[in-house]
Amino acid sequence: MLQLILGGARSGKSRLAEKLATDSQLHVTYIATSQPLDGEMNERVAHHRARRPAEWALIEEPLELARVLRESAGVDRCVLVDCLTLWLTNLLMLDDAERLSAEREALLDCLASLPGEIIFVSNETGMGVVPLGELTRRYVDEAGWLHQALAERCQRVVLTVAGLPLTLKGTAL
């Protein structure tokens, strides 16, 4: 099953995804897309790391998400990807439109063939004010298009607000 968990900052989306992964009772692989490049991001990573069960496998991959998903997914596995918008940011910062397009298409193309449980976490950024800068507008556009394409392919899509899940598609939680 493919699941997409969306929400704003501190909405409870990662906590919900981690609970779903634990409840799956499968071997869990956590794919972290962040690149902790400063002290504040290091603190965020440490917080997430401390919250996760020690037996979960961890893969840190900022760019080649499709490749890592193909290598990690299995019928007896749950793969949790946290988070897609950080992955998208990493690609946007390369300033290579062809690479962004290739990685995005590789991700979308591999989804139908992935076995097991796959849970994606991503920031819903399209509910706020339209950003002033070109790069941030592009980020919001790319995230919105990615979320639409993923939501179409996922069996369950959930929006989290204030720690509460609202099922948008599929079986309610």
Side-chain angles (χ1 to χ4, degrees), residues 26-32 52-60 72 77-80:
L26 298 171
H27 173 78
V28 177
T29 299
Y30 186 99
I31 299 176
R52 290 193 302 265
E55 66 271 11
W56 285 10
L58 171 65
I59 299 172
E60 296 176 336
S72 303
R77 295 177 182 257
C78 177
V79 178
L80 194 165

Side-chain angles (χ1 to χ4, degrees), residues 88 92 125-126 129 131 135-145:
L88 181 61
L92 282 168
T125 59
V129 177
L135 180 59
T136 50
R137 281 193 304 273
R138 184 168 175 225
Y139 165 79
V140 170
D141 289 348
E142 292 289 348
W145 294 324

Side-chain angles (χ1 to χ4, degrees), residues 106-168:
L107 171 64
L108 295 174
D109 288 347
C110 81
L111 294 178
S113 64
L114 295 175
E117 298 278 333
I118 313 293
I119 303 170
F120 294 103
V121 175
S122 199
N123 290 291
E124 176 50 62
T125 59
M127 299 172 101
V129 177
V130 176
L132 293 176
E134 179 183 346
L135 180 59
T136 50
R137 281 193 304 273
R138 184 168 175 225
Y139 165 79
V140 170
D141 289 348
E142 292 289 348
W145 294 324
L146 177 63
H147 293 159
Q148 289 179 52
L150 273 168
E152 183 179 302
R153 291 161 172 82
C154 287
Q155 288 79 39
R156 181 186 290 147
V157 179
V158 177
L159 176 66
T160 57
V161 179
L164 301 173
L166 173 62
T167 303
L168 304 175

Side-chain angles (χ1 to χ4, degrees), residues 91-104:
L91 289 166
L92 282 168
M93 296 311 291
L94 294 177
D95 198 23
D96 181 347
E98 289 180 25
R99 176 78 186 269
L100 171 62
S101 179
E103 292 293 342
R104 180 183 181 276

Side-chain angles (χ1 to χ4, degrees), residues 11 37 46:
S11 65
L37 302 175

